[in-house]
């Protein structure tokens, strides 16, 4: 995957590989010691039924999507569902 500045990802739409719009990227978590990225933190789309998504959620109700599931970053961040 080519390099992308984090500031260019803020607020980007996140879509499942099945075409479902999941929400907007809120943040990205990482290991401070290794610098390895862990999860995309995504504000869920209000129209998306929560039962339709199998991702973990944090205490604020945002999806935690492992970075390993990112398939593409273009107009959308596409993640494997």
């Amino acid at each position: 995957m080519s390099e992308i500045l984090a500031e260019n990802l803020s607020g980007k739409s996140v879509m499942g590989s099945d075409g479902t719009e999941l929400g907007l990227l809120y943040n990205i978590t990482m290991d401070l010691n290794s610098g390895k990225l862990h999860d995309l933190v995504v504000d869920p789309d209000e129209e998306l039924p929560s039962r339709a998504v199998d991702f973990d959620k944090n205490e604020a109700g945002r999806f935690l999507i492992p970075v390993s599931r990112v398939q593409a970053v273009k107009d959308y961040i596409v993640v494997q569902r």
Side-chain angles (χ1 to χ4, degrees):
M1 188 179 294
S2 62
E3 291 184 19
I4 299 171
L5 295 175
E7 67 185 31
N8 295 334
L9 295 176
S10 180
K12 190 173 274 289
S13 294
V14 180
M15 178 182 286
S17 54
D18 61 356
T20 303
E21 289 199 34
L22 300 173
L24 298 176
L25 182 65
Y26 176 77
N27 209 344
I28 301 174
T29 61
M30 67 180 284
D31 182 313
L32 293 176
N33 294 323
S34 69
K36 183 176 179 176
L37 301 178
H38 282 280
D39 296 309
L40 302 181
V41 182
V42 177
D43 271 327
D45 187 298
E46 293 177 4
E47 297 179 14
L48 181 68
S50 61
R51 67 184 182 281
V53 179
D54 61 348
F55 298 117
D56 292 335
K57 290 185 179 180
N58 67 9
E59 61 280 350
R62 294 183 177 104
F63 299 133
L64 300 174
I65 303 174
V67 170
S68 62
R69 293 179 76 166
V70 173
Q71 293 182 325
V73 179
K74 299 210 184 221
D75 293 336
Y76 289 88
I77 299 172
V78 180
V79 296
Q80 180 183 10
R81 293 261 339 244

